[in-house]
């Protein structure tokens, strides 16, 4: 009996222990179950593939800013106008009467991407310290995301002015959100200083390298597009930051790096060997090359050869000429012009916002070109005498009786009927930066750095023609003309094109922005520095309309000249030509620089 | 746990909760509820209950519109009050159709708010339209506005809105304007509309449908189709009708310029040319008429107000009968412009040399399009243009031909009328460099009203280079000479 009772006691005790143990372990299991659809902090940043995935993730999030970015940078400026379909918030943006709850004036989405950038930057550092990635891999990725963050901060500074907090560490937890207060509000000028300091110390300013020598996880083919131009161009950003800051020589030096692509790691490892010195791609990549008049395989405004004065022979399709840069696939010509483009695929998120914004078939048609913009194109004269600029025809069209911005719709609409090829498929691209913009900004910097003739050359007819006292004469020794080799870097260009002795300078195909667009050179009136700068500003409207550069160009030049009227009059012209009764009020408001900025929530 | 232990406390709390919820509910109901009892009633019930509308209710019942207003679709009713209905003419009361149209003239589909500034043209149930501006429906004032019901709203007015003829009906019903009326009626034609015809079978040989004879036919009018549809109720027009004497006078003025082989055709053409400018868009009362109206064809119509015989307000504008509209011939026959970029034919296919250009005219500051053909290697190359409906009169010819491509050699070209071979009055003219002005070419006479071919003819020599043999033209202008 006794033994039984002891046994019983022991049994009960054992049961209790087992039961307790089960209870504890089951608790642990139940309560600490790992989420199935989310990764926890321990599961990411383990190796280079995780790092690459994080970077792609940041860019995916960044694409969500496309709509707000375009509304802020174009609708606030003078080229874009609301339609009757636009909501009240867009109208506020349009006429500069923004109220506090306007979602387009909310900086939160920008900060959300900045926070992701900060998170990636912090973890890349940890990975390097833990030897999970190599130094070179770290340099490229850290620089990419660091530059992206600087670019977003520059946008914040442009639109919110002196109200921005420069936050550089991730807010991972609720508690750390309080730390924001440790980052003081900085003025736009201080912000620029911080951005210049941070960005210019980034270890890797070239594009991601291609080829087998190093991990190529980020430069690859995904869903039908190559990722070479997915990532921010750091030279362009550094150029822009210095241009804002007024460091003209530095800005020009950075821009020049893009303009010498082969020396600076652009597409150099391309397996098909097109980038060898002396090839077409070598002479045309980033050089704003002249038209290929015989076959129109170019990105210039063109007409059928020998019928250049016939309106019906305008090259107006998705595979040739200026228009095709917004429509064509990523072939060699496309690579020559584009620096930063993010594609929207109709098969997965994020959804392309541009069809809804611009298209009047299959979209909501919220925004349209302003009369002021149309007048700008129609005020130009082409070299064949036509009284307009064909770039206008390619940028907007009258479809179903309405003016429609088509730059973003060429992948969505049929190339000739302009009816959606498939209304349910809305492919498109977010055009962020291209070579023409870099040339215009280089010229802006050069002009202020005393290189006025070079600036005008890049704007108008190209270096070769401009630095030639008798253009068009054949059979000359061109050794001492068609170049600026006597100037220091970054202003030394060799555009010589001659037969005896034979010269084919790297820049001999440069045609200038207006040369390529087939419009006559912009006249220089009065003070040449100011006149060239105004011409460059205006050219940005003609060439880059609706690509998100207009507001920043107007603001930068208004600040540089300390002349708010440049910005205020541009907006006034738009509003008054479109019959907006708030035109005069907007002008008065914008004459005060503090009203250029959106309310910061 | 606490509640279970202390059952009394739990009951108290539960009660409090119930009370709180109940109180909330009542408060919100009061807050959201409307105080307008009419909203529970449909239109007909509400109007019947309104003593001011008693007379109109009788008419609603008599015409069956009471059932319409009891339906669930929304309507807006402008109810003439009892005083107003008292002055309704007896003939309307006696005729069921007239009465139905009269009542329908006060009801519109949908909920339309009265008292909004700005004229809206409201379609009424009888097919007519009325202009609503603020508290005015046509000439009647709204006394009590916007009484909302479950299926729309009604208003009370001090007067009724009479059912009027439209401009075209007024003409058809008029007496004393025989010439005008007969002329307009002569423009009637019979139109066959297969959709409204009765199909009886299919022709076994052709596969074409066979229709019952006499079905699908309707009468249409060329003036209404092609010039101005003054029978359209949805817009407003001003329509001028000439009395017999002035119709004859103006017609006689025009007949010399419409010479044909038949007197009837000439009269018909002259009459059409006369009346095409007699209707304009917009409602102009006699007081509002300017001294010159401009027709849709750009012709100035002189209005001498002392010659207005009568002015009639119609359901879609105004009819003015007049004893004289003294058209000036030069206004009635404006210059004819043939655009260079609209050719109808060429001597030979020269697509490779053919340029349609866009240009800026520095004299006018206007953009223009033109045609330029160079180095086409064809002697006396010509481009043909069609000038339609040319009157039997003398014309002075001009052109703007722009040579902005070369100062030397200059080319010469000439105009040909009706033929490429007969030189007529038109010699070769050298096209000067950068001349954007009209160049006088000479005069020609068209003997009979017809369509006319014009030719732009190049030099009688063949060349494929140098541009010495070219043709270009912005436009050819033919100015009638009386």
């Amino acid at each position: 009996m006794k033994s039984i009772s002891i046994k019983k006691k022991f049994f009960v005790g054992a049961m209790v222990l087992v039961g307790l143990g089960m209870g504890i372990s089951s608790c642990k299991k139940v309560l600490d179950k790992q989420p199935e659809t989310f990764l926890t902090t321990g599961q990411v940043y383990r190796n280079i593939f995780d790092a690459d995935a994080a970077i792609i993730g940041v860019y995916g999030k960044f694409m969500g800013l496309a709509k707000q970015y375009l509304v802020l940078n174009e609708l606030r400026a003078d080229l874009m106008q609301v339609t009757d379909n636009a909501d009240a918030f867009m109208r506020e943006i349009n006429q500069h009467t923004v109220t506090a709850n306007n979602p387009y004036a909310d900086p939160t989405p920008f900060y959300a991407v900045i926070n992701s950038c900060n998170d990636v930057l912090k973890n890349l550092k940890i990975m390097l310290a833990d030897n999970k990635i190599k130094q070179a891999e770290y340099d490229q990725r850290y620089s990419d995301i660091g530059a992206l963050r600087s670019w977003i901060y520059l946008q914040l500074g442009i639109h919110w002015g002196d109200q921005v907090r420069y936050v550089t560490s991730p807010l991972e937890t609720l508690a750390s959100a309080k730390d924001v207060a440790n980052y003081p509000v900085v003025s736009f000028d201080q912000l620029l200083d911080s951005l210049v300091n941070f960005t210019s110390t980034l270890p890797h300013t070239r594009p991601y390298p291609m080829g087998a020598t190093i991990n190529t996880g980020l430069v690859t083919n995904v869903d039908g597009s190559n990722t070479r131009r997915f990532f921010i161009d750091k030279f362009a950003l550094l150029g822009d930051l210095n241009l804002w800051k007024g460091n003209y020589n530095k800005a020009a030096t950075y821009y020049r790096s893009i303009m010498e692509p082969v020396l600076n790691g652009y597409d150099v490892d391309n397996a098909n060997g097109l980038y060898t010195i002396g090839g077409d791609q070598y002479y045309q990549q980033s050089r704003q090359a002249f038209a290929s008049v015989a076959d129109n395989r170019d990105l210039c405004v063109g007409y059928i050869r020998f019928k250049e004065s016939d309106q019906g022979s305008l090259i107006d399709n998705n595979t040739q000429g200026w228009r095709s840069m917004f429509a064509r696939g990523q072939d060699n010509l496309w690579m020559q012009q584009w620096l930063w483009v993010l594609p929207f695929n109709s098969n997965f998120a994020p959804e392309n916002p541009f069809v809804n914004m611009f298209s009047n078939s299959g979209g909501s048609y919220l925004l349209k070109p302003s009369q002021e913009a149309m007048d700008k194109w129609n005020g130009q004269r082409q070299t064949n005498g036509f009284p307009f600029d064909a770039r206008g025809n390619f940028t907007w069209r009258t479809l179903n009786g309405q003016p429609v911005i088509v730059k973003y719709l060429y992948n969505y609409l049929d190339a000739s009927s302009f009816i959606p090829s498939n209304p349910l498929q809305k492919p498109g691209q977010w055009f962020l930066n291209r070579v023409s913009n870099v040339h215009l900004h280089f010229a802006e910097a050069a002009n202020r750095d005393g290189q006025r003739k070079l600036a005008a050359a890049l704007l108008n007819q190209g270096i070769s023609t401009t630095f030639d006292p008798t253009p068009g004469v054949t059979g000359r020794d061109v050794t001492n003309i068609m170049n600026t080799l006597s100037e220091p870097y970054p202003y030394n260009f060799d555009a010589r094109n001659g037969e005896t002795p034979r010269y084919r300078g790297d820049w001999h195909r440069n045609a200038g922005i207006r040369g390529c667009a087939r419009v006559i050179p912009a006249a220089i009136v009065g003070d040449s520095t100011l006149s060239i700068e105004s011409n460059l500003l205006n050219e940005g409207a003609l060439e880059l309309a609706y690509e998100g550069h207009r507001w920043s160009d107007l603001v930068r030049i208004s600040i540089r000249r300390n002349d708010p009227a440049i910005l205020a009059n541009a907006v006034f012209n738009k509003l008054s030509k479109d019959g907006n009764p708030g035109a005069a009020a907007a002008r008065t408001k914008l004459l005060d620089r503090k009203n250029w900025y959106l309310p910061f929530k | 746990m606490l509640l279970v232990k202390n059952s009394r406390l739990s009951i108290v709390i539960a009660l409090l909760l119930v009370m709180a919820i109940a109180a909330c509910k009542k408060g919100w109901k009061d807050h959201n509820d409307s105080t307008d009892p009419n909203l529970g009633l449909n239109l007909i019930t509400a109007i019947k209950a309104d003593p001011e509308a008693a007379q109109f209710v009788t008419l609603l019942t008599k015409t069956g519109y009471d059932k319409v207003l009891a339906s669930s679709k929304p309507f807006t009713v402008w109810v003439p009050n009892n005083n107003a209905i008292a002055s309704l003419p007896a003939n309307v009361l006696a005729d069921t159709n007239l009465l139905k149209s009269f009542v329908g003239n006060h009801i519109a589909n949908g909920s339309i708010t009265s008292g909004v500034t700005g004229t809206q043209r409201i379609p009424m149930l009888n097919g007519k339209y009325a202009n609503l501006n603020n508290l005015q429906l046509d000439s009647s004032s709204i006394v009590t506005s916007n009484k909302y019901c479950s299926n729309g709203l009604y208003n009370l007015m001090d007067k009724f809105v009479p059912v009027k003829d439209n401009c075209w009906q007024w003409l058809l019903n008029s007496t004393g304007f025989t010439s005008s009326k007969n002329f307009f009626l002569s423009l009637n034609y019979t139109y066959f509309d297969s959709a409204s015809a009765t199909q009886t079978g299919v022709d076994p040989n052709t596969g074409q449908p066979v229709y019952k004879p006499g079905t699908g036919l309707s009468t249409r009018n060329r003036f209404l189709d092609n010039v101005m549809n003054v029978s359209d109720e949805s817009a407003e027009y001003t329509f001028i009708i000439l009395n017999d004497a002035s119709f004859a006078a103006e017609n006689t003025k025009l007949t010399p310029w419409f010479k044909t082989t038949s007197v009837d055709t000439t009269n018909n053409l002259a009459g059409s040319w006369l009346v095409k400018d007699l209707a304009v868009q917009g409602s102009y009362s006699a007081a509002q008429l300017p001294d010159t109206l401009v027709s849709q064809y750009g012709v100035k119509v002189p209005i001498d107000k002392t010659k207005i015989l009568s002015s009639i307000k119609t359901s879609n504008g105004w009819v003015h009968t007049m004893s004289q509209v003294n058209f000036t011939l030069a206004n009635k026959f404006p210059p004819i412009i043939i655009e260079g970029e609209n050719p109808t034919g060429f001597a030979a296919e020269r697509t490779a040399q053919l340029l349609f250009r866009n240009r800026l005219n520095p004299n006018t500051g206007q953009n223009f399009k033109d045609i330029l053909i160079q180095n086409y290697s064809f002697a006396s190359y010509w481009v043909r243009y069609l000038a339609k409906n040319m009157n039997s009169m003398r014309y002075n010819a001009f052109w703007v031909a722009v040579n902005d491509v070369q100062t030397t050699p200059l080319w010469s070209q000439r105009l040909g009328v009706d033929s490429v071979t007969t030189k007529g009055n038109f010699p070769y003219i050298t096209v000067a460099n950068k001349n954007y002005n009209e160049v006088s070419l000479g005069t020609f006479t068209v003997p009979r009203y017809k369509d006319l071919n014009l030719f732009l003819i190049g030099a009688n020599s063949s060349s494929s280079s140098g541009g010495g043999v070219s043709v270009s033209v912005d436009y050819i202008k033919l100015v009638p000479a009386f």
Side-chain angles (χ1 to χ4, degrees):
Chain A
M1 267 309 267
K2 205 175 181 183
S3 67
I4 293 170
S5 75
I6 291 168
K7 266 183 196 167
K8 214 179 183 175
K9 266 184 188 165
F10 177 76
F11 179 73
V12 170
M15 283 301 283
V16 168
L17 273 176
V18 169
L20 265 174
M22 271 175 74
I24 288 162
S25 68
S26 71
C27 261
K28 195 178 175 187
K29 220 175 168 188
V30 169
L31 295 177
D32 287 354
K33 192 165 171 26
Q34 296 294 316
E36 285 169 11
T37 51
F38 294 94
L39 294 175
T40 55
T41 40
Q43 288 172 299
V44 291
Y45 300 117
R46 289 174 306 192
N47 53 34
I48 184 68
F49 303 108
D50 285 349
D52 289 354
I55 285 164
I56 297 294
V58 170
Y59 275 95
K61 196 165 186 177
F62 173 70
M63 285 171 80
L65 300 180
K67 181 181 183 181
Q68 193 179 359
Y69 169 76
L70 218 58
V71 167
L72 290 181
N73 286 291
E74 294 293 349
L75 190 55
R76 297 189 79 200
D78 57 341
L79 307 176
M80 192 184 271
Q81 177 61 262
V82 292
T83 68
D84 292 343
N85 305 334
D87 59 41
F89 294 126
M90 277 189 179
R91 287 167 200 279
E92 287 179 8
I93 295 282
N94 183 42
Q95 57 198 20
H96 294 270
T97 52
V98 175
T99 54
N101 288 324
N102 192 315
Y104 299 108
D106 181 5
T108 316
F110 287 82
Y111 271 107
V113 184
I114 286 173
N115 192 38
S116 300
C117 290
N118 286 338
D119 186 61
V120 173
L121 293 176
K122 176 187 159 189
N123 283 291
L124 284 172
K125 275 183 183 163
I126 297 170
M127 289 175 86
L128 180 66
D130 295 350
N131 279 331
K132 285 177 178 168
I133 50 174
K134 296 177 195 149
Q135 181 72 42
E137 292 169 341
Y138 165 83
D139 287 351
Q140 296 153 13
R141 284 155 186 77
Y142 188 87
S143 305
D144 181 20
I145 296 299
L148 183 65
R149 188 184 72 188
S150 296
W151 185 91
I152 299 171
Y153 270 121
L154 178 58
Q155 279 293 311
L156 286 173
I158 289 167
H159 292 290
W160 282 274
D162 300 336
Q163 316 166 76
V164 177
R165 285 180 201 274
Y166 186 53
V167 182
T168 52
S169 66
L171 311 176
E172 291 162 319
T173 60
L174 213 53
S176 63
K178 291 176 192 154
D179 300 343
V180 172
N182 298 337
Y183 295 99
V185 171
V186 293
S187 72
F188 182 43
D189 212 43
Q190 289 168 320
L191 179 69
L192 278 177
D193 286 336
S194 304
L195 294 177
V196 168
N197 287 341
F198 171 77
T199 315
S200 52
T201 55
L202 289 175
H204 183 91
T205 45
R206 295 178 163 211
Y208 281 107
M210 305 190 304
T213 51
I214 199 149
N215 185 289
T216 56
L218 285 169
V219 178
T220 180
N221 288 310
V222 190
D223 305 312
S225 7
N226 188 279
T227 57
R228 258 187 277 172
R229 301 287 194 264
F230 269 32
F231 308 101
I232 184 169
D233 190 292
K234 285 149 274 185
F235 290 122
L237 172 69
L238 282 161
D240 287 350
L241 289 171
N242 281 291
L243 187 60
W244 275 95
K245 199 62 208 156
N247 304 331
Y248 301 117
N249 195 282
K250 250 187 185 165
T253 308
Y254 281 119
Y255 291 131
R256 183 72 192 268
S257 299
I258 299 167
M259 296 158 81
E260 299 299 341
V262 177
L263 301 177
N264 290 291
Y266 285 85
D267 308 337
V268 282
D269 292 341
N270 190 304
N272 60 23
L274 276 166
Y275 302 99
T276 45
I277 290 178
D280 275 356
Q281 202 68 5
Y282 176 80
Y283 286 132
Q284 294 181 186
Q285 172 88 50
S286 305
R287 300 203 207 272
Q288 203 68 33
F290 56 44
S292 178
V293 290
D295 59 10
N296 303 107
R297 285 201 69 258
D298 54 42
L299 301 175
C300 296
V301 172
Y303 288 80
I304 294 168
R305 195 175 200 180
F306 307 124
K307 288 200 70 174
E308 286 85 354
S309 287
D310 181 39
Q311 57 177 354
S313 38
L314 177 69
I315 302 299
D316 184 6
N317 62 55
N318 279 355
T319 52
Q320 296 168 300
W322 196 85
R323 167 182 153 183
S324 76
M325 77 171 88
F326 305 100
R328 66 190 314 126
Q330 298 171 326
D331 57 4
N332 288 327
L333 276 177
W334 189 89
M335 291 288 175
Q336 285 171 18
Q337 175 66 226
W338 287 105
L339 292 172
W340 191 14
V341 178
L342 285 164
F344 287 102
N345 192 305
S346 38
N347 294 328
F348 37 80
E351 196 195 356
N352 177 6
F354 301 129
V355 169
N356 191 48
M357 288 160 77
F358 299 126
S359 180
N360 63 351
S361 68
S364 298
Y365 187 52
L366 304 172
L367 300 163
K368 63 178 182 184
S370 67
Q371 187 61 46
E372 168 76 353
M374 298 178 193
D375 290 350
K376 274 190 193 295
W377 284 301
N378 290 334
Q380 298 294 317
R381 174 85 76 93
Q382 295 190 163
T383 52
N384 64 358
F386 287 9
F388 52 74
D389 182 338
R391 286 176 294 181
N393 303 24
F394 300 139
T395 305
W396 70 274
R397 274 174 193 270
T398 303
L399 302 178
N400 288 330
Q402 292 169 317
V404 175
I405 296 169
V406 287
K407 240 181 196 181
Y408 291 87
L409 302 179
Y410 283 117
N411 295 135
Y412 169 67
L413 300 174
D414 180 82
S416 48
S417 69
F418 293 96
I419 295 165
S421 311
N422 179 348
L424 300 177
Q425 300 252 316
K426 297 179 177 171
Q429 300 172 81
W430 183 10
F431 303 121
L432 278 149
N433 203 3
R434 61 184 171 101
V435 166
S436 298
N437 186 42
V438 168
H439 277 231
L440 288 172
H441 283 185
F442 177 88
E444 187 181 321
N447 182 46
R448 285 282 172 177
D449 204 19
Q451 299 283 344
R452 285 179 291 274
K453 191 173 180 184
L454 178 61
L458 290 169
L459 167 67
N460 287 320
Q461 290 177 292
I463 297 161
S464 178
T465 308
T466 309
F467 291 91
D468 180 348
T470 54
V473 180
T474 53
R476 290 171 298 169
D477 179 349
V478 300
T479 308
N480 296 319
I481 58 171
M482 299 183 182
N483 69 72
T484 61
L485 293 173
S486 58
E487 300 294 330
Y489 191 86
Y491 304 120
N492 54 339
F493 289 89
D494 180 3
R496 287 176 291 186
N497 188 3
E499 301 304 329
T500 44
R502 185 180 162 87
Y503 283 106
R504 289 292 185 271
D506 283 1
W507 284 86
H508 78 276
R509 296 192 185 181
N510 171 251
I513 305 284
R514 291 176 73 83
C516 187
R518 206 179 261 274
V519 281
I520 59 172
I524 295 171
V525 184
D527 179 272
S528 60
T529 304
L530 294 182
S531 179
I532 290 171
E533 191 167 78
S534 300
N535 289 344
L536 289 165
L537 178 63
N538 196 46
E539 196 62 25
L542 301 169
E543 171 77 17
L544 305 165
Y546 316 125
E547 291 174 44
H549 305 298
R550 186 59 177 164
W551 177 259
S552 58
D553 285 351
L554 287 169
V555 168
R556 189 176 60 249
I557 287 172
S558 297
I559 291 176
R560 181 179 307 146
R561 295 204 201 159
N562 195 19
D563 182 5
I566 295 172
L567 179 75
N569 288 342
V571 173
F572 172 78
N573 287 344
K574 165 177 86 165
L575 295 175
S576 63
K577 279 187 186 177
D578 288 310
N580 190 315
R587 183 180 185 277
T588 313
K589 199 171 173 186
L590 292 174
L591 281 173
D592 184 350
R593 183 175 160 186
K594 75 175 191 300
N595 293 326
W596 296 354
Y597 301 111
L598 298 167
F600 193 94
K601 270 204 298 185
Chain B
M1 290 293 254
L2 188 73
L3 287 181
V4 178
K5 265 187 185 167
N6 191 338
S7 59
R8 229 192 269 164
L9 182 62
S10 69
I11 287 167
V12 169
I13 289 173
L15 272 174
L16 275 171
L17 267 173
V18 168
M19 274 173 72
I21 289 164
C24 274
K25 204 172 167 188
K26 196 147 177 273
W28 281 111
K29 189 165 159 39
D30 288 349
H31 180 76
N32 287 335
D33 262 11
S34 166
T35 50
D36 189 346
N38 263 354
L39 286 178
L41 308 175
N42 67 19
L43 271 170
I44 190 66
T45 322
I47 295 174
K48 273 181 178 165
D50 195 323
E52 274 293 286
Q55 292 295 319
F56 192 67
V57 168
T58 326
L59 302 184
L60 283 172
T61 318
K62 209 168 160 186
T63 53
Y65 271 116
D66 56 338
K67 291 176 191 69
V68 173
L69 297 185
S71 72
S72 57
K73 267 178 68 184
F75 296 95
T76 307
V77 190
W78 288 269
V79 178
N81 63 18
N82 294 338
N83 280 341
I85 298 291
S87 58
L88 186 65
N91 68 319
V92 176
L93 275 173
D95 185 318
T96 320
N97 285 336
L98 285 183
L99 187 61
K100 183 149 194 194
S101 178
F102 170 80
V103 176
N105 208 31
H106 295 83
I107 309 174
N109 274 316
S111 298
I112 298 154
T113 312
S114 302
V116 180
T117 311
T119 305
Q120 303 177 68
R121 203 156 160 77
I122 313 276
M124 297 296 178
L125 290 192
N126 66 346
K128 297 281 178 187
Y129 281 66
N131 288 343
L132 175 67
N133 185 358
N134 208 351
L135 290 177
Q136 198 76 23
L137 186 73
D138 275 356
S139 54
S140 311
S141 301
I142 295 167
V143 182
T144 312
S145 64
N146 301 332
K147 294 177 77 77
Y148 290 91
C149 303
S150 64
N151 61 337
L153 63 158
Y154 74 93
N155 307 271
L156 282 166
M157 302 196 298
D158 64 342
K159 275 187 280 181
F160 61 77
V161 179
V163 183
K164 296 193 184 90
D165 283 347
N166 63 38
C167 293
W168 187 247
Q169 286 166 334
W170 187 89
L171 173 73
L172 299 184
N173 294 334
S174 68
T175 50
F177 299 95
T178 328
S179 301
S180 284
K181 187 166 150 184
N182 286 347
F183 181 76
F184 279 110
L185 286 176
S186 76
L187 300 175
N188 278 353
Y189 65 102
T190 304
Y191 175 80
F192 176 75
D193 175 22
S194 61
S196 65
T198 315
Q199 190 178 346
T200 54
V202 175
D203 188 316
N205 298 321
T206 61
Q208 297 293 312
V210 175
Y211 296 103
K212 189 176 170 185
T215 63
L217 299 177
S218 60
T219 301
R220 291 196 179 181
N221 185 282
R222 291 202 167 82
F223 179 80
L224 299 183
D225 287 358
N226 303 333
V227 179
M228 190 72 76
N229 186 3
V230 293
S231 71
D232 165 30
E233 298 278 359
S234 65
E236 292 186 287
Y237 305 92
T238 302
F239 190 25
I240 294 166
I241 294 172
L242 298 178
N243 71 358
D244 289 357
S246 66
F247 189 88
E250 290 302 315
N251 210 43
T252 311
K253 249 161 82 180
L254 296 176
T255 43
W257 322 114
F258 291 90
K259 273 183 206 133
T260 63
T261 48
S262 134
V263 177
D264 280 356
T265 311
T266 298
N267 278 337
N268 204 350
L269 288 167
S272 298
W273 199 252
L274 169 62
V275 299
K276 77 176 175 58
D277 298 313
L278 291 181
V280 297
Q281 274 181 335
S283 172
Y284 295 97
S285 69
Q288 290 164 331
L289 272 176
D291 53 7
T292 306
L293 278 176
V294 179
S295 80
Q296 60 180 324
Y297 303 100
V299 173
K300 288 179 180 163
V301 186
I303 305 288
D304 179 353
K305 288 195 188 179
T306 62
K307 307 289 188 200
I308 296 177
L309 299 172
S310 61
S311 295
I312 304 96
K313 177 83 186 82
T314 63
S315 65
N316 64 344
W318 283 90
V319 167
H320 300 288
T321 62
M322 297 188 69
S323 60
Q324 189 188 59
V325 175
N326 193 4
F327 282 107
T328 324
L329 283 178
N331 285 338
K332 200 65 178 163
F333 294 97
I336 294 161
I337 289 181
I338 316 279
E339 292 292 349
E341 66 273 19
N342 296 329
T344 56
F346 300 92
E349 190 273 329
R350 286 292 182 273
T351 311
Q353 287 77 30
L354 176 61
L355 305 176
F356 291 105
R357 308 188 304 168
N358 291 284
R359 284 287 180 272
L360 174 76
N361 184 328
N363 295 350
T364 61
Q366 299 285 313
N367 293 342
F368 65 93
K369 293 180 178 180
D370 75 350
I371 191 171
L372 170 68
I373 316 173
Q374 293 200 289
N375 304 325
Y376 44 71
S377 183
F378 192 106
S380 299
Y381 188 80
W382 50 259
V383 185
R384 188 176 64 223
Y385 296 95
L386 180 61
K388 294 192 79 159
N389 304 331
M390 295 289 288
N391 295 101
S392 47
M393 61 172 70
R394 200 157 51 84
Y395 288 96
N396 295 321
F398 303 84
W399 69 32
V400 173
V402 174
N403 162 18
D404 56 358
V405 287
Q406 58 198 59
T407 48
T408 179
L410 297 175
W411 68 81
S412 60
Q413 58 187 37
R414 75 177 181 89
L415 184 69
V417 175
D418 232 1
S419 155
V420 291
T421 47
T422 48
K423 249 185 163 177
N425 293 323
F426 300 106
Y428 276 104
I429 290 176
T430 302
V431 177
N433 183 247
K434 300 229 162 120
N435 180 6
Y436 293 87
N437 298 318
E438 287 182 357
V439 174
S440 177
L441 304 176
T443 302
F444 66 98
T445 303
V446 182
R448 203 163 273 157
Y449 176 84
K450 64 171 179 178
D451 292 348
L452 193 66
N453 278 324
L454 300 177
F455 297 89
L456 175 67
I457 304 166
N460 186 12
S461 100
S462 160
S463 164
S464 62
S465 63
V469 182
S470 305
V471 290
S472 83
V473 69
D474 171 12
Y475 62 83
I476 299 166
K477 183 171 167 185
L478 306 174
V479 183
F482 300 101

